[in-house]
Amino acid sequence: MQKPSTILFLLVLLSLGSFLFALSVGSLPLSFADILQTLTGDGSQISKTVVFELRLPRAYVAFITGALLSLAGMLMQVLLRNPLADPYILGVSGGASVGAMLAISAGFASTLVSMSAFLGALFSIALVFALAHGRGSWNPSRLLLTGVVIASGWGALINFILSLSPNQSLKGMLFWMMGDLSFAHSEQLTNPVLPLILITGLLLSLIMARSLNVLSRGEMQASALGVSLRPLRLSLFLLASALTAIAVTQAGSIGFVGLIVPHMMRLLISSDHRWLAPACVLAGGSLLLLSDTLARTIIAPEQLPVGVITAFIGVPLFLYLLSRGYQQQVTP
Amino acid sequence: MSLLSTENLKIKISNTRVCDELNIECKESEVWGILGRNGKGKTTLLHTLAGLHPIECGGINLQNKNLSGLNRKQIAQQLGILLQQHENSFPCSVLETVITGRHPHISNWQWENKNDYAIAEDALKSVQLSHLANRPINQLSGGERQRVAIATLIAQNPEILLLDEPNSHLDLKYQIQILDYLCHHTKQHQKTILMTLHDLNLAARYCDKLILLLGDGKTLIGNTKELLSEENLFKLYDYPVKRIKSDNQIIFSAY
């Protein structure tokens, strides 16, 4: 196994490479030289429009969304100490979807759809929190079951809305649910909220990181080794939910990134959360950015839902790492 | 000096009374044993002393400070507990597990330094697992995992060691070697051990003092030699135990 710092450096290169790839491919192919020229202020008007109005905003939102999702997935997995946990397991995306679909069926524009999705996510977080922490003792299985039940409740509500919706809004709704980054626009480039949220999330995760290492050995053991469980659990739950809510608001419920990137990084780099958190941010961002670039180019001018591509890339990659990981364990 | 003491400690688990009025004082260099039947609260007593289980009434003092006034980190700096169950949700190496024992001694932003790694490696050496340091923990046998947990506790280096069945999963050789090491280490560094045991011969061999949990809240506390009579043991286990003297050694055997 390589040193964690080497792998982290390679992931930084991968992220930069993904950005270059995303800026260069499309209906108007741009060479790396063109991109460099455009980014430094030179370049033709058309390439400026393509880069700054279309590709860069979308790449930027894709990267941050992927990073948020995989960070949230990592936090959820430790909180529930369940390898099957993903950012959506506690119903945040279900709540957001219902909010978004109500807004879409009311005919609102994309900003209002996002706001409505965010409100739906917050409502779902509050609901799960109140029900799981309400009375009696707190434990991961109670939180997990509460979240899963709420999530399936949202699922039923989504099907209900879908079955009543007229045809013209159906495609929008389905794309939203599978994840769609085409809402990204150039104003987002100058808005510092998204990167600030990501950086805050990463910093908070790093502060908690060593406690998370201990928490993966079980709550009792963590407590015995000096971790105050109550505040840690609460911050984990709130942080993971908030990051998920922001991600879902940006791009709908893109599946798979939040489940698989944390596992890939555990196999690739370490289970130490101080390495895992930044690795998840870089790898999650790159995976979603590459997937989205493929999603908009493979059958251009038609677009595929990005969630489909994350799965197409992620499934074989994950299975490969898994088998490699087990081989390493068998022959130490 | 008293490292761990209780004042009229009362513990209950739903309907089981573990102890009604427990008063003990574990001084430095003392090894205490806790004996009792299944489900009579040996583990709960240890968890309570570690602050992991609520107290019905009474109090616990760590080095003359009330336990309820300390936060988890302060407790973990002086008191460590070997739990019966070990959880490993995610892949992780043996050394990575043992280094978590240093957690209470490192401030939030700091990383483990060379000294912490040296302590963890020494701890692994003392349970004879140095050769498995980089092995994933889920490949280990039950006994090896138990030794990893003991190494984690040694790396934590607390003054008060609470051991819940330290010899479970261990083969004969390691039962003796590890208890030898822990008890010797305790006497050498003026620490104290409280451990639950099922093996009377090990209790007689290692413990200076014993707490017998008789069930229904009654306890017998005293020096090991005086307490381990056939009469007391029958009361304790509700089963006859024979005390045999051979070669200056006392051996206990169930009928």
Side-chain angles (χ1 to χ4, degrees), chain A residues 6-267:
Chain A
T6 318
I7 298 178
L8 212 54
F9 177 70
L10 291 176
L11 286 173
V12 172
L13 291 186
L14 174 69
S15 310
L16 292 176
S18 315
F19 264 101
L20 274 182
F21 179 61
L23 294 183
S24 71
V25 302
S27 53
L28 175 80
L30 293 173
S31 69
F32 291 154
D34 291 339
I35 294 169
L36 275 182
Q37 264 185 353
T38 314
L39 287 179
T40 50
D42 297 330
S44 61
Q45 192 54 46
I46 179 128
S47 64
K48 270 185 189 164
T49 314
V50 165
V51 168
F52 287 113
E53 299 293 319
L54 297 172
R55 290 184 195 163
L56 192 57
R58 188 162 172 160
Y60 170 83
V61 172
F63 186 86
I64 292 186
T65 307
L68 289 172
L69 282 177
S70 48
L71 192 59
M74 179 198 89
L75 297 173
M76 271 311 176
Q77 286 169 2
V78 207
L79 173 67
L80 301 168
R81 280 184 307 293
N82 188 324
L84 289 178
D86 75 353
Y88 307 142
I89 197 158
L90 298 185
V92 178
S93 69
S97 300
V98 170
M101 290 165 88
L102 289 176
I104 294 174
S105 57
F108 290 144
S110 64
T111 352
L112 277 176
V113 171
S114 297
M115 269 174 66
S116 177
F118 190 63
L119 288 180
L122 287 187
F123 177 71
S124 187
I125 295 169
L127 192 63
V128 172
F129 182 76
L131 290 173
H133 285 246
R135 273 182 304 120
S137 66
W138 190 99
N139 65 55
S141 33
R142 182 174 165 191
L143 178 62
L144 183 62
L145 284 175
T146 311
V148 167
V149 166
I150 299 265
S152 52
W154 289 127
L157 204 52
I158 290 168
N159 287 339
F160 178 72
I161 298 175
L162 278 178
S163 58
L164 291 185
S165 297
N167 274 340
Q168 67 263 29
S169 46
L170 266 184
K171 195 174 179 199
M173 288 180 177
L174 286 177
F175 259 68
W176 196 93
M177 282 204 299
M178 288 184 279
D180 186 5
L181 287 155
S182 56
F183 292 124
H185 49 85
S186 58
E187 284 154 41
Q188 278 168 312
L189 284 178
T190 48
N191 187 343
V193 173
L194 269 186
L196 271 182
I197 288 169
L198 177 61
I199 290 169
T200 316
L202 180 59
L203 283 180
L204 289 175
S205 311
L206 286 174
I207 293 175
M208 293 192 279
R210 218 181 58 235
S211 298
L212 298 185
N213 292 348
V214 185
L215 186 62
S216 357
R217 320 284 186 271
E219 296 206 335
M220 188 80 105
Q221 178 71 26
S223 195
L225 284 172
V227 172
S228 306
L229 282 182
R230 224 170 227 283
L232 182 66
R233 277 192 305 231
L234 188 62
S235 356
L236 261 179
F237 173 76
L238 291 180
L239 182 59
S241 306
L243 296 179
T244 310
I246 305 284
V248 171
T249 308
Q250 285 305 313
S253 30
I254 297 170
F256 217 68
V257 179
L259 171 67
I260 230 142
V261 172
H263 284 303
M264 289 205 290
M265 291 305 108
R266 277 195 195 93
L267 291 167

Side-chain angles (χ1 to χ4, degrees), chain B residues 20 74 118 120 214:
Chain B
D20 285 340
Q74 290 166 326
L214 300 177

